[in-house]
Amino acid sequence: MGTIQEKPSVASSSSVGSTVVNEIRQTPILALIIFVPVVILLERFSPEAHTLLFVMSVLAIIPLAALLSRATEAVAAKTGDAVGGLLNATLGNLTELVISLAALQAGQYLLVKASIAGAIVTNTLFMLGGAFLFGGLKYHLQEFNRINARFQACLLFLATIAVLVPSLISEVDQPPALTVSQKLSLGLAIILIVVYALGMLFSLRTHRELFASVSHAEEHEKLWPVKLSIVMLVVVTLLVALVSEIFVGSVQVAAEQLGMTPAFVGFIVVALVGAAAEMTTAFSAARANRLDLSVGVALGSAVQIALFVAPILVLVSYFIGPEPMTLQFWRGAVTMMVVAAMAAALLSNGGRGAWYAGVMALALYAIFAFTLFVLPPATPS
């Protein structure tokens, strides 16, 4: 009887091994997983090699993002695209949160604010535009639930107005004292968190029938079991957090050596690396004709950063930062966030996606990135 009971275990181990091998064959980018232990060991034995650590941490996050994407897709297939999009946005934004917390503790408020603004713009324009482009190159026209998309776009616009207010009061009459901005930012942070919580209640409980998916996934791709997916989500998220801390510790010195400004690093580099997990999911979902999931991940992630991550950072700064952080951004960042929110509303208004809509969103993102690279803000808040 003992030998009979051992056979399923052996078969199970063999099945897991073959699954891993097949995953690497189907997704060659997963071979970069070797950089995860490499960057951890490099940080331990050669912590002064900042540029090398910066490059290695970026390479390590890429396969982790792919694994996070595959696990999230399997869970989303069981829970629905709305909850799946929320789950992926939550886990994906953990990277931005870890990076921002490390920078916050070091007093690098410019990097924190640039990463917040950059994450909102990157998710709204780059991720959404890329999903429209990749999906549109395979399908002539794709449909998605425009009620859900417009709801997310409205929440994003509300958040950008909350960020705009502290920045505007510094431009009129007598600039207020720092304590006034801190009190205003604290109150706005609490309001945004309440709005976000009520928004989740509205979309997932009281009116969830309005947010049903209208697109259909292709069924040829074999999904992971739910239990395996949940375990992978937990393990990979922890690894992403660990590698992100190494990334934060090396990014500033590496940026100086590579000729990049703190604003560009936070707005573009940190935002792109932090959103790698969600991008993988959004792009692959669009290629599988699941544009609802792509839109939910892109706009849901941007909304979560604006209504939850940014306010949480304001609250946490009272405990771990050198001084309380405000929601006062420099004018260029505010302008870009407002324009990105308006672009999201326009792109999601019709409930249909095509490849050229993605081109326009990506072009707008390229304009912002090139502007920051060539002409960084002189006196950011």
Side-chain angles (χ1 to χ4, degrees):
M1 293 294 290
T3 55
I4 295 176
Q5 291 176 350
E6 289 176 0
K7 288 182 179 180
S9 177
V10 174
S12 177
S13 300
S14 176
S15 176
V16 172
S18 62
T19 300
V20 172
V21 173
N22 290 334
E23 284 293 328
I24 295 178
R25 287 178 178 176
Q26 295 175 4
T27 313
I29 201 173
L30 292 180
L32 295 176
I33 197 72
I34 188 64
F35 286 105
V36 175
V38 169
V39 72
I40 294 174
L41 292 174
L42 181 64
E43 194 272 339
R44 181 177 180 84
F45 295 105
S46 185
E48 72 283 351
H50 295 289
T51 302
L52 186 58
L53 282 171
F54 170 77
V55 175
M56 291 293 180
S57 59
V58 171
L59 292 175
I61 288 177
I62 292 174
L64 292 176
L67 290 173
L68 195 62
S69 168
R70 289 284 284 118
T72 304
E73 285 180 358
V75 176
K78 298 293 183 180
T79 61
D81 286 347
V83 177
L86 175 63
L87 176 63
N88 185 267
T90 302
L91 293 175
N93 286 335
L94 180 63
T95 306
E96 283 96 338
L97 186 59
V98 171
I99 293 175
S100 298
L101 286 174
L104 192 68
Q105 192 170 17
Q108 300 178 10
Y109 288 153
L110 172 58
L111 181 61
V112 175
K113 294 181 180 181
S115 64
I116 291 173
I120 294 173
V121 173
T122 297
N123 292 331
T124 305
L125 297 179
F126 188 86
M127 193 186 305
L128 186 62
F132 280 171
L133 176 62
F134 289 130
L137 291 176
K138 187 174 182 180
Y139 301 96
H140 181 69
L141 203 62
Q142 292 179 292
E143 295 185 350
F144 57 90
N145 189 331
R146 64 176 182 177
I147 295 179
N148 181 30
R150 291 171 68 178
F151 174 71
Q152 301 286 359
C154 289
L155 287 178
L156 184 60
F157 186 74
L158 171 65
T160 57
I161 295 301
V163 172
L164 179 64
V165 171
S167 304
L168 282 179
I169 63 171
S170 64
E171 306 292 335
V172 297
D173 298 329
Q174 188 73 20
L178 179 60
T179 55
V180 176
S181 295
Q182 291 172 347
K183 290 180 180 178
L184 178 61
S185 297
L186 178 61
L188 292 174
I190 295 174
I191 293 174
L192 291 179
I193 292 176
V194 172
V195 170
Y196 179 73
L198 294 176
M200 293 301 97
L201 178 65
F202 178 79
S203 60
L204 298 179
R205 293 288 296 177
T206 64
H207 290 71
R208 59 183 178 182
E209 73 278 359
L210 300 177
F211 301 88
S213 175
V214 299
S215 59
H216 302 281
E218 295 178 348
E219 299 297 334
H220 68 271
E221 185 178 10
K222 186 177 181 181
L223 298 175
W224 290 353
V226 175
K227 290 183 179 180
L228 174 63
S229 300
I230 293 175
V231 172
M232 288 296 295
L233 284 174
V234 175
V235 174
V236 174
T237 299
L238 292 176
L239 289 175
V240 168
L242 179 61
V243 176
S244 297
E245 290 182 354
I246 300 175
F247 175 83
V248 171
S250 62
V251 66
Q252 284 296 88
V253 176
E256 293 177 2
Q257 294 176 353
L258 296 174
M260 296 183 291
T261 64
F264 181 82
V265 169
F267 203 98
I268 303 298
V269 179
V270 174
L272 287 174
V273 172
E278 300 126 282
M279 286 183 190
T280 307
T281 295
F283 296 162
S284 61
R287 293 288 294 175
N289 201 25
R290 297 180 66 185
L291 199 58
D292 270 311
L293 179 58
S294 300
V295 174
V297 169
L299 295 185
S301 180
V303 168
Q304 194 170 66
I305 290 172
L307 293 180
F308 183 73
V309 174
I312 285 294
L313 290 173
V314 171
L315 298 179
V316 173
S317 68
Y318 280 81
F319 303 98
I320 70 172
E323 63 181 18
M325 190 184 79
T326 68
L327 289 176
Q328 184 177 338
F329 291 70
W330 74 91
R331 284 176 291 178
V334 174
T335 301
M336 293 177 186
M337 285 188 286
V338 172
V339 171
M342 295 174 62
L346 292 174
L347 288 172
S348 61
N349 188 51
R352 293 183 176 182
W355 67 266
Y356 193 70
V359 170
M360 291 188 289
L362 292 172
L364 183 57
Y365 181 80
I367 291 172
F368 290 163
F370 183 70
T371 301
L372 271 181
F373 184 77
V374 176
L375 189 64
T379 55
S381 301

